[in-house]
Amino acid sequence: MELYERIPNNVNLSQDKRLQRALEKWLPNYLEWWREMGPEGFQDKDVYLRTAVGVDAEGWANFDYVKMPDYRWGIFLKPAEADARVGFGDNYGMPVYQEVPGEFRNALRRIIVTQGDTEPASVEQQRQLGKTCPSLYDLRNLFQVNVEEGRHLWAMVYLLHGYFGRDGRDEADALLERRSGNPDRPRILEAFNQPCDDWLNFFCFTMFTDRDGKYQLAALAESGFEPLARTCQFMLTEEAHHLFVGETGVGRVVKRTAELMKQSKDGDARELGGISLDIIQKYINFWFSYSLDLFGGEISSNSADFFAAGLKGRFKEQDQYEDHIAAEGSFTLTVVEDGKLAQREVPLRNALNEVLRGEYVKDCERAMTRWNKYLTDAGVDAQLYLPSTRFHRHVGEFAGHYFDVQGNMITKEEFESRQSEWLPTIEDREYVRSLMHAATEPGKIANWIAPPSAGIKGKPFEFEYVRL
Ligand SMILES: [Fe+2]
Ligand SMILES: [Fe+2]
């Protein structure tokens, strides 16, 4: 079978000899990477997966049993709109770019490589999790996320191969060479080098870290570089499920913890084999703060340049804003000046990372409200919260300074003496890991998490989502 017949696509691969040649070399390396770094122990099992085989309503969500290595990694872009125009910045209203604007070539390649690097990284982080799945439903969701992250890597590699020539091909090879957490050749972003070795980590990761991905993709989906915009638009349709897995996953843990707290004489979920609220809170603090870093510095000339060039917009740029030039406005943000918190006014375009981060925080707060309702409904007094956006930051204005979870500036010594209250300790992680035993009979679920309110694609929770 010809290569272009094996790769479902809507980029006219059968006619594009150059792209075919590039993919022909890359595909075997990708499959080798998947065998080496993809989910361990389940490669020959039938999994009830959604596969995109086209971009229309029918084709993008095709459900069937598939063995993961046989998943059809495709290349899909949202169909082009006629007469599309640059939607913001200095070139507002001009025809969209079909090629990479020369002066932004390096920067754009960097953005695509950085996004691309996160996709295989998360597969690597999650590769052992199948062995301790809380249910077949969750196992299937893990694998769905994994194969789609693999496909997202394809999406970015398509752009590198298609638009960046020789250096694009080198970058595409390097995406398969870095490894999450490897000290010599780590993944680019720190959140993607953190271990994700228990299911509470997985749910927090898909809740908080994948959600950063949603906002980055949404900003790039506005791009005036049309192939990038259309690629990201299609990725967002898949990403929604990953966020669902994370948000409902943490929510189900909270729900179960609340039940166990009520059942226990001392109100202690741990006594009955659950995860205590304070551990859930620490995991939230950890993943939320690392994920905030992914938006970049609060004040950024890069963000201004990218907006001006029409390459990276704001969240829902077209629906949410009237002024798409944004050249005049200013934005007041909190910074550290002479060791103290201060307000500073900066040109709006320089604050766009912070503007995007603000959208993300609002979205996280919405989920938090939902989780807290589970606690209230169960009659538990305590509530979960998001820590201050200054807490535990490693990038931007607050990096190198120390804050408590309310955002008060404290000394390094105070932070170090109190961090076990705020961030997971080795004992917390070991305790959570001690609960992780696979529940693999259809309809069975681990004790520390509540079942989902519905199954996948109208199937019941008891459905055999993975045939073991
Ligand atoms: Fe992704
Ligand atoms: Fe994702």
Side-chain angles (χ1 to χ4, degrees), residues 308-431:
L311 293 175
K312 187 176 177 187
R314 288 169 290 185
F315 183 62
K316 298 195 171 158
E317 177 71 43
Q318 297 315 314
D319 303 342
Q320 231 188 163
Y321 297 94
E322 277 177 9
D323 168 18
H324 298 295
I325 315 289
E328 312 282 295
S330 63
F331 191 89
T332 304
L333 37 72
T334 305
V335 295
V336 179
E337 252 169 32
D338 304 325
K340 281 203 290 282
L341 290 176
Q343 301 290 303
R344 188 184 302 162
E345 196 174 306
V346 300
L348 178 56
R349 283 183 177 186
N350 290 70
L352 293 180
N353 288 346
E354 183 62 8
V355 171
L356 194 60
R357 187 166 19 236
E359 297 281 356
Y360 168 85
V361 172
K362 263 197 293 184
D363 196 7
C364 294
E365 274 163 357
R366 180 197 48 74
M368 201 63 60
T369 307
R370 177 177 285 192
W371 299 340
N372 278 330
K373 189 160 181 306
Y374 298 147
L375 294 172
T376 317
D377 289 352
V380 171
D381 263 345
Q383 297 270 282
L384 295 162
Y385 59 86
L386 288 178
S388 161
T389 53
R390 295 192 281 279
F391 172 74
H392 192 235
R393 292 289 303 281
H394 300 84
V395 169
E397 285 297 311
F398 308 116
H401 302 282
Y402 296 89
F403 299 90
D404 63 16
V405 285
Q406 281 90 37
N408 302 308
M409 208 172 203
I410 54 177
T411 62
K412 183 170 190 238
E413 290 68 36
E414 195 177 353
F415 181 85
E416 277 165 3
S417 73
R418 295 189 64 190
Q419 69 169 321
S420 64
E421 292 169 39
W422 298 324
L423 294 167
T425 61
I426 292 172
E427 292 75 37
D428 294 332
R429 291 179 185 281
E430 276 171 1
Y431 174 70

Side-chain angles (χ1 to χ4, degrees), residues 99-169:
E99 291 297 330
V100 180
E103 69 272 40
F104 291 102
R105 192 184 159 85
N106 287 346
L108 204 51
R109 191 183 64 210
R110 188 75 196 154
I111 285 191
I112 293 169
V113 166
T114 306
Q115 176 65 40
D117 194 65
T118 66
E119 315 287 357
S122 66
V123 175
E124 293 165 2
Q125 284 168 294
Q126 297 160 15
R127 67 189 296 261
Q128 301 292 344
L129 285 174
K131 296 171 186 164
T132 57
C133 63
S135 72
L136 282 186
Y137 164 90
D138 290 292
L139 185 62
R140 177 260 168 220
N141 285 348
L142 168 70
F143 294 156
Q144 183 71 60
V145 170
N146 291 160
V147 292
E148 284 173 354
E149 301 305 9
R151 205 202 66 75
H152 292 174
L153 171 60
W154 276 71
M156 293 297 116
V157 164
Y158 158 72
L159 293 172
L160 290 170
H161 280 170
Y163 296 90
F164 293 89
R166 173 78 202 266
D167 358 322
R169 290 195 296 278

Side-chain angles (χ1 to χ4, degrees), residues 208-337:
F208 292 108
T209 307
D210 260 281
R211 194 170 303 271
D212 154 72
K214 168 184 164 176
Y215 284 85
Q216 300 303 332
L217 291 175
L220 296 173
E222 303 282 342
S223 184
F225 175 41
E226 197 199 37
L228 176 63
R230 290 169 50 213
T231 298
C232 292
Q233 286 158 12
F234 188 75
M235 288 165 77
L236 280 167
T237 58
E238 291 168 325
E239 206 57 51
H241 177 67
H242 308 183
L243 306 184
F244 163 85
V245 168
E247 183 173 337
T248 57
V250 177
R252 289 160 54 210
V253 178
V254 172
K255 219 183 227 172
R256 183 62 179 154
T257 294
E259 279 169 22
L260 293 173
M261 285 170 80
K262 289 315 260 186
Q263 284 170 26
S264 146
K265 284 193 302 302
D266 315 316
D268 178 5
R270 274 178 83 142
E271 204 168 87
L272 298 175
I275 303 177
S276 55
L277 272 188
D278 70 305
I279 292 185
I280 300 174
Q281 181 65 59
K282 290 188 212 179
Y283 272 61
I284 291 172
N285 295 347
F286 179 89
W287 286 105
F288 179 66
S289 56
Y290 267 116
S291 303
L292 291 173
D293 282 341
L294 299 173
F295 289 84
E298 279 71 11
I299 303 169
S300 161
S301 58
N302 272 343
S303 84
D305 292 346
F306 267 65
F307 187 87
L311 293 175
K312 187 176 177 187
R314 288 169 290 185
F315 183 62
K316 298 195 171 158
E317 177 71 43
Q318 297 315 314
D319 303 342
Q320 231 188 163
Y321 297 94
E322 277 177 9
D323 168 18
H324 298 295
I325 315 289
E328 312 282 295
S330 63
F331 191 89
T332 304
L333 37 72
T334 305
V335 295
V336 179
E337 252 169 32

Side-chain angles (χ1 to χ4, degrees), residues 77-86 95-96 98 221-222 226-227 229-230 233 318:
L77 277 62
K78 191 164 177 223
E81 270 169 39
D83 193 33
R85 303 274 156 170
V86 177
V96 288
Q98 296 303 335
E222 303 282 342
E226 197 199 37
R230 290 169 50 213
Q233 286 158 12
Q318 297 315 314

